Amino acid sequence: MRLFLSSYRFGAHANRLLALTGPPGRIAVIANACDAWPSAWQSAVTSDLVPLRRMGFQPEVVDLREYIGRAEALADTLSGFPAVWVRGGNTFVLRAQFARSGADLVLTRLLEADALVYAGYSAGACVMTPDLHGLESTDDPAEVRTACGIEPRWDGLGLVPRRIVPHLDSPTDPEGHSRKLVRDFLASGTPHWALTDDHVVVVDGDLTEVLT
């Protein structure tokens, strides 16, 4: 299994992503964490396509909304990519769209077979953790009903053993919600990784490390 989980895009470790993927080629871009914000969706996608292209990747958008109830079709599509890029947004909306499309099962199967690299930041990283409790302080679970028509789910995919707190001490979090969540997790003894926008959690086979 190969995972590149960051707080913001490549963090300070773009070269480590390339070490996981090998020479950059096609990469599937999943932007469904932004589905609750239709007016910003396209600009959010474009803001990720540009840096991926600069790194030499050939990004192609895979919209999970086109695969609702079509998990096998999604599996066929994603099987053609050596890597997937899952951008940030609302973690609860992303989790819901993973469930509706079967991406949670499809990606788990492909990752366990080491058939692709999963790179995700912010919501795209948090969705891989055991559960999403605590993230309601930064992401609104109510947006799931608006964007997806279902109730929010609080379970993650569980492919890493700790929760992730992104954007620690980041300009994107001027009110310090992430710092408060870290304090709450420390007080409750909840295993977690607190990531600044430079940090990346890398899983490469049996090796898991946090790059600072």
Side-chain angles (χ1 to χ4, degrees):
M1 185 178 299
R2 289 169 293 162
L3 307 174
F4 182 92
L5 307 177
S6 66
S7 173
Y8 186 69
R9 292 196 179 139
F10 313 116
H13 303 281
N15 287 341
R16 192 55 180 275
L17 175 59
L18 294 176
L20 290 176
T21 63
R26 296 176 71 215
I27 188 167
V29 175
I30 295 175
N32 295 96
C34 298
D35 285 353
W37 316 322
S39 63
W41 202 92
Q42 191 55 56
S43 61
V45 172
T46 301
S47 72
D48 276 14
L49 298 182
V50 171
L52 286 167
R53 287 179 180 137
R54 285 176 181 156
M55 284 185 66
F57 287 101
Q58 298 141 37
E60 301 175 36
V61 176
V62 175
D63 189 343
L64 298 182
R65 292 172 293 188
E66 298 176 3
Y67 294 91
I68 302 304
R70 302 174 59 228
E72 289 309 311
L74 179 62
D76 289 343
T77 296
L78 292 181
S79 294
F81 289 91
V84 60
W85 176 266
V86 186
R87 66 154 288 131
N90 186 314
T91 309
F92 297 99
V93 171
L94 180 63
R95 178 66 184 96
Q97 300 295 47
F98 269 28
R100 296 174 76 213
S101 63
D104 46 5
L105 302 178
V106 169
L107 285 169
T108 297
R109 188 163 67 238
L110 291 171
L111 287 165
E112 288 177 343
D114 199 29
L116 53 66
V117 174
Y118 180 101
Y121 74 88
S122 193
C126 292
V127 77
M128 305 302 277
T129 66
D131 68 78
L132 310 183
H133 290 281
L135 294 176
E136 67 273 15
S137 63
T138 56
D139 297 348
D140 185 0
E143 289 186 337
V144 173
R145 288 183 285 273
T146 303
C148 309
I150 62 173
E151 293 299 309
R153 292 181 57 150
W154 295 83
D155 63 317
L157 273 63
L159 295 182
V160 292
R162 295 170 177 247
R163 299 185 199 179
I164 287 175
V165 181
H167 308 306
L168 185 67
D169 300 328
S170 168
T172 64
D173 181 25
E175 297 181 5
H177 293 298
S178 293
R179 175 62 64 181
K180 181 181 183 302
L181 184 54
V182 168
R183 289 197 297 267
D184 291 344
F185 283 167
L186 289 171
S188 63
T190 301
H192 66 281
W193 288 302
L195 305 183
T196 72
D197 287 346
D198 285 341
H199 295 167
V200 178
V201 176
V202 170
V203 177
D204 188 2
D206 294 332
L207 175 67
T208 299
E209 57 185 324
V210 179
L211 309 180
T212 60

